[in-house]
Amino acid sequence: MFINRKFPNTRLRRLRSSSNILDLVSEKRLSSDDLIQPVFIKEDIDGTEEIESMPGILRHGKSSILKEVESIVRSGVKTIALFPVVNSSKKDSKGSEATNKNNLMCESVRLIKENFPEVIIIADVALDPYTDHGHDGIIKNNYVDNDLTLDILRSQSLVLAEAGADIIAPSDMMDGRIGFIREALENSDYKNTILLSYAAKYNSKFYGPFRDAVNSASNLGTSSKSSYQMSPYNSDEALHEVAMDINEGADIVMVKPGMPYLDIVSLIKNTFKIPTFAYQVSGEYSMLKLAIAKGWLDNQVMLESLISFKRAGADAILTYSAKEISMEINKK
Ligand code: PBG
């Protein structure tokens, strides 16, 4: 297709000569509509707590949640993803607290919905914030048991849907969970509850700071999630995972982590043509933030990294920098 293009008939720099021309011919755009802000909520604290390994990100106690949501909304971001930091006294081997309809997540969803009914709430469904061993499922004979875990995920999803979560996001990579949860939602008349499947979630070391943030790192210790999360060597398998999840009733699929896995985002979007999200995870965020804080990188690298997600085909991006980047884009 490029055979007969010759200089000077073709000068590619013509279309780079001013910022207005650049905007006019821009192939991709990043807007507030594409950004999702994760929010950490914690019980029994007043106000906020800093997370040492995630510069600028806070754990929010009840008294501070609404203020945080208000500032997210003011930035132009319309969707949040909630993650709970659960009291260690409430953790057990089965993650029972996950199914309590008055747990921190459910109460927070209700509180936010009462005050900001238009904000879209994504509720994570996985047991790791609730288990005393830090795994995403129930352990039997030293193995994270798939089918025993499904029963709890189903109850966890129902209490979250009942509390008013718009989107249920299973993030644990158990087989069959999407079908199980979809059936339970249909049977309980939550027909419009959206299922966002973490369909291709890799066994990644980029989750380190998140595990500090939700205090699951010490529970998990040196134990690995390799028997359920995907191997970083595989990409065909990601297509297999996505095909399964679509057939089981997922509305949106997600790839995680983001930047080191943009080939997977592109592959999935081009193959299935369905809404495909990507998660710029804690480790990716913290690497950039730390280098920016040191003055080793310009702070525009955050925006640049998010543009790369759009180029790869992501429809929306979960990023800890959502609020900040949204304010920046809207100032322009
Ligand atoms: C687990 C879960 C993880 C993240 C979100 N949900 C990581 C894990 O497997 O421990 C990580 C997100 C991040 O690193 O930002 N259910």
Side-chain angles (χ1 to χ4, degrees), residues 40 54 83 124-129 134 136 171-172 198 201 206-211 216 220 225 229 256 279-283 320:
F40 293 109
M54 299 186 71
F83 292 100
D124 202 70
V125 164
L127 300 184
D128 56 320
D136 294 33
S171 71
D172 66 352
Y198 286 72
K201 175 170 179 179
F206 284 99
Y207 307 145
F210 175 94
R211 291 179 188 172
S216 71
L220 194 62
K225 298 192 177 185
Q229 298 179 347
K256 175 183 180 182
Y279 197 148
Q280 182 184 51
V281 300
S282 56
Y320 298 95

Side-chain angles (χ1 to χ4, degrees), residues 113-295:
K113 277 286 169 187
E114 270 161 31
N115 290 275
F116 299 95
E118 72 292 351
V119 166
I120 297 173
I121 302 181
I122 301 178
D124 202 70
V125 164
L127 300 184
D128 56 320
Y130 304 96
T131 53
D132 53 14
H133 45 69
H135 275 292
D136 294 33
I138 294 180
I139 298 179
K140 192 177 163 188
N141 301 332
N142 269 328
Y143 183 71
V144 173
D145 189 278
N146 196 83
D147 300 9
L148 287 177
T149 304
L150 293 182
D151 283 328
I152 305 199
L153 294 180
R154 176 166 47 195
S155 314
Q156 183 182 20
S157 301
L158 286 176
V159 296
L160 290 166
E162 188 189 338
D166 305 274
I167 302 182
I168 302 288
S171 71
D172 66 352
M173 296 298 282
M174 295 301 130
D175 285 324
R177 73 218 201 279
I178 299 298
F180 240 63
I181 295 169
R182 174 55 80 208
E183 190 191 353
L185 291 172
E186 284 288 327
N187 289 341
S188 307
D189 231 17
Y190 296 115
K191 298 194 192 305
N192 278 334
T193 301
I194 297 164
L195 274 180
L196 161 59
S197 171
Y198 286 72
K201 175 170 179 179
Y202 285 86
N203 178 29
S204 171
K205 294 294 181 207
F206 284 99
Y207 307 145
F210 175 94
R211 291 179 188 172
D212 288 340
V214 300
N215 293 334
S216 71
S218 51
N219 297 82
L220 194 62
T222 55
S223 191
S224 149
K225 298 192 177 185
S226 60
S227 80
Y228 41 107
Q229 298 179 347
M230 278 182 60
S231 160
Y233 289 99
N234 295 353
S235 52
D236 292 343
E237 189 188 357
L239 295 178
H240 202 161
E241 282 282 2
V242 170
M244 292 286 288
D245 287 354
I246 296 173
N247 288 335
E248 289 177 31
D251 304 289
I252 306 169
V253 293
M254 182 138 74
V255 175
K256 175 183 180 182
M259 249 199 331
Y261 294 85
L262 290 181
D263 57 324
I264 308 297
V265 174
S266 172
L267 195 61
I268 290 173
K269 185 66 184 174
N270 289 327
T271 305
F272 295 102
K273 312 285 184 191
I274 66 160
T276 304
F277 291 5
Y279 197 148
Q280 182 184 51
V281 300
S282 56
E284 302 175 60
Y285 168 85
S286 295
M287 280 193 309
L288 295 179
K289 274 291 175 192
L290 185 61
I292 292 165
K294 290 265 186 195

Side-chain angles (χ1 to χ4, degrees), residues 299-317:
N299 71 3
Q300 288 296 306
V301 293
M302 196 59 87
L303 177 62
E304 185 180 328
S305 74
L306 298 178
I307 295 170
S308 75
F309 285 72
K310 292 301 291 181
R311 249 187 2 260
D315 296 297
I317 309 159

